[in-house]
Amino acid sequence: MSQEEEHIPRSWPTAAAFAGRRREAGLARERLRRDGLLLIVGRRGVGKSTLASFVGAAEYPAARRAWVDCRYEAQDGQTILWLAASRWPHQPLLEFLDSTAERTSLPRLVERAVRILAPNAPQPYLLCLDALHHLYEREGVAALVRALAHLAADGGSRLRLIITADYPPPFLPEFGYLQLGQAAPEITGAIFSRHHLHLDDTRQQEIYAVTGGTPRLIEHYARLAEDAPDFSTDPLRNRYLTRYFYQRYKDLPPDERQILIALAVIAAPASPGLIKQAVPEIEDARLVIYHLQDLGWIDPPTSDDVRVAITPALRHFCLDVAGAGTLRRIHHNLAAHFEYQGDILAAAEHYTAAGETEYAARFLLRYAAYVDRAAAGERLAALVERLLSLPVTRALPPEVQEPLRKIVAAET
């Protein structure tokens, strides 16, 4: 082993077969090379850590690399310094920390440590702070990361810094970030190939759609397929996904569960205002939504769209675990909202889903003339067919069924 290889710590994770992120990888490598700092932001499971590992190793293969997992390893700014210094390793910084850490205030410690790192070195020092959002409020973290970020951005410095987080650090407003969203469809086949499994194009598209292109969920499907080659793409029968969601879902407070169920019922990107209409008993739904975004349950909105959404797999899970009474109540609330807004078809659909089928049918008959048949004719026909196909014990009165049939006849 060469002397250079000895400086590369074993704590830097090896990125698995890389696919679905070619464009993002190119942008990330360019930013890291140009700015000295790369900040990757996105919800949990989208592959932030994998991208960071891949880009750091590819762009600086000869660097002294240190990876700090901020979920489990570091508690504050001082432990970040210790872990980085020991994993590079950086002997002057280690000696300074060992001799002064206990009797030096944290601000002074950060200032001195950054000065020690500032001089040029034979090769770059690369530091990744993975999942830094867990430490945003911890002692000394903001000051340390700001100091490291500005040092990395200094053209004469040999420090390079990568940060991954669910949302941008509030203490680095002057630095841009790379927003990581849905991966390209090719990632599905690549992950399954890593498990020595082959998928046809149709099955790849099904899995990609139900997971929302989230690499972590695709990985769960691949593990299931290893155990049961005839596995189903239905997330309700996917024991890995169900267990993954349940282990996290059971610890959520009631308000956060209600918001997730409301999004599942809405089944489309929804504004905070519409979510509030679905669960009006939650006093500050917007704050709950923000917290769920921080936890990675809800996709963050884009810069030009305030609506939020959940992946199809999570939607199916929430509908499965929600009680029938909860679903009926949310559907009723949405139906009343859409009735007030004048969206006749949406109101009738939600009244039907709430079990208020006769009211939905009479409401639809009264206002069917206001439905845009060109844009929503198929939805209207499907709803009428659903109302006419109710079980005998819940069948609509004859005086309602016949006018409904005329609506379908008029459409055809």
Side-chain angles (χ1 to χ4, degrees):
M1 180 181 295
S2 68
Q3 185 177 6
E4 180 179 87
E5 288 174 327
E6 290 177 347
H7 291 316
I8 300 177
R10 295 293 172 251
S11 61
W12 191 274
T14 302
F18 200 72
R21 295 290 188 197
R22 288 193 180 94
R23 183 185 68 85
E24 293 92 335
L27 289 173
R29 293 184 67 171
E30 179 184 352
R31 289 193 181 195
L32 183 59
R33 182 170 57 249
R34 181 192 66 207
D35 302 334
L37 169 68
L38 171 62
L39 175 55
I40 306 173
V41 172
R43 61 182 170 82
R44 295 183 183 182
V46 298
K48 301 186 296 293
S49 300
T50 300
L51 181 63
S53 172
F54 174 84
V55 168
E59 193 61 34
Y60 293 101
R64 297 192 180 198
R65 302 197 296 265
W67 185 282
V68 177
D69 189 332
C70 297
R71 289 167 296 185
Y72 309 114
E73 296 185 313
Q75 291 81 44
D76 51 29
Q78 187 169 318
T79 54
I80 288 176
L81 273 175
W82 272 107
L83 290 168
S86 61
R87 288 175 180 174
W88 273 323
H90 194 292
Q91 201 60 35
L93 182 56
L94 278 171
E95 291 174 357
F96 165 72
L97 292 173
D98 187 50
S99 62
T100 65
E102 293 184 1
R103 58 180 184 273
T104 305
S105 66
L106 193 53
R108 181 65 174 163
L109 189 71
V110 169
E111 180 185 351
R112 290 286 304 279
V114 172
R115 286 183 184 178
I116 293 172
L117 288 171
N120 285 335
Q123 71 242 51
Y125 284 85
L126 177 61
L127 172 63
C128 179
L129 303 177
D130 189 35
L132 182 63
H133 57 276
H134 288 277
L135 302 182
Y136 282 173
E137 306 298 326
R138 297 296 182 87
E139 183 183 10
V141 170
L144 172 63
V145 175
R146 278 190 60 80
L148 292 176
H150 282 280
L151 177 60
D154 181 354
S157 170
R158 296 292 279 168
L159 176 67
R160 298 294 179 265
L161 180 64
I162 301 176
I163 297 171
T164 76
D166 287 1
Y167 55 99
F171 44 79
L172 292 179
E174 67 269 44
F175 293 98
Y177 58 88
L178 179 65
Q179 180 76 49
L180 204 59
Q182 189 178 46
E186 65 191 63
I187 198 170
T188 308
I191 289 176
F192 272 74
S193 296
R194 205 159 64 229
H195 290 264
H196 309 289
L197 298 168
H198 173 73
L199 293 175
D200 58 38
D201 291 343
T202 301
R203 185 54 64 87
Q204 284 193 45
Q205 293 170 6
E206 289 175 345
I207 295 174
Y208 181 78
V210 81
T211 58
T214 304
R216 185 177 298 170
L217 298 186
I218 297 173
E219 185 72 32
H220 280 292
Y221 268 97
R223 292 175 186 171
L224 176 63
E226 280 187 310
D227 295 340
D230 59 343
F231 74 104
S232 169
T233 58
D234 182 351
L236 299 184
R237 292 197 294 271
N238 185 322
R239 56 190 172 91
Y240 283 103
L241 282 181
T242 301
R243 183 172 61 189
Y244 168 74
F245 285 137
Y246 180 72
Q247 286 174 345
R248 299 178 61 203
Y249 181 87
K250 64 183 176 63
D251 295 327
L252 294 177
D255 282 0
E256 295 181 6
R257 295 188 189 189
Q258 290 293 305
I259 293 290
L260 289 176
I261 294 170
L263 275 170
V265 168
I266 294 169
S271 67
L274 180 57
I275 298 170
K276 175 64 176 176
Q277 294 295 328
V279 282
E281 65 275 13
I282 297 178
E283 291 186 4
D284 201 336
R286 194 178 296 269
L287 283 180
V288 178
I289 292 169
Y290 289 155
H291 188 238
L292 286 169
Q293 289 172 350
D294 292 345
L295 294 175
W297 285 97
I298 295 178
D299 292 347
T302 62
S303 58
D304 57 350
D305 189 351
V306 300
R307 297 177 301 168
V308 296
I310 56 178
T311 64
L314 178 55
R315 175 178 177 263
H316 284 292
F317 170 81
C318 290
L319 293 176
D320 188 48
V321 298
T326 297
L327 294 176
R328 285 196 298 268
R329 174 173 51 80
I330 292 176
H331 276 295
H332 174 84
N333 292 339
L334 288 169
H337 166 72
F338 285 121
E339 180 178 354
Y340 179 78
Q341 293 292 319
D343 191 334
I344 307 304
L345 190 53
E349 288 172 335
H350 282 288
Y351 277 129
T352 302
E356 303 169 52
T357 50
E358 184 172 348
Y359 182 89
R362 294 184 184 276
F363 174 80
L364 189 60
L365 288 174
R366 184 177 181 182
Y367 296 106
Y370 297 97
V371 176
D372 185 348
R373 306 298 177 92
E378 291 185 2
R379 281 177 60 197
L380 177 62
L383 177 58
V384 170
E385 183 63 28
R386 180 179 177 183
L387 290 167
L388 292 173
S389 303
L390 293 170
V392 175
T393 55
R394 297 173 53 211
L396 297 172
E399 69 269 19
V400 175
Q401 292 189 35
E402 189 57 34
L404 282 177
R405 290 191 178 93
K406 290 181 180 179
I407 292 178
V408 177
E411 287 299 306
T412 57

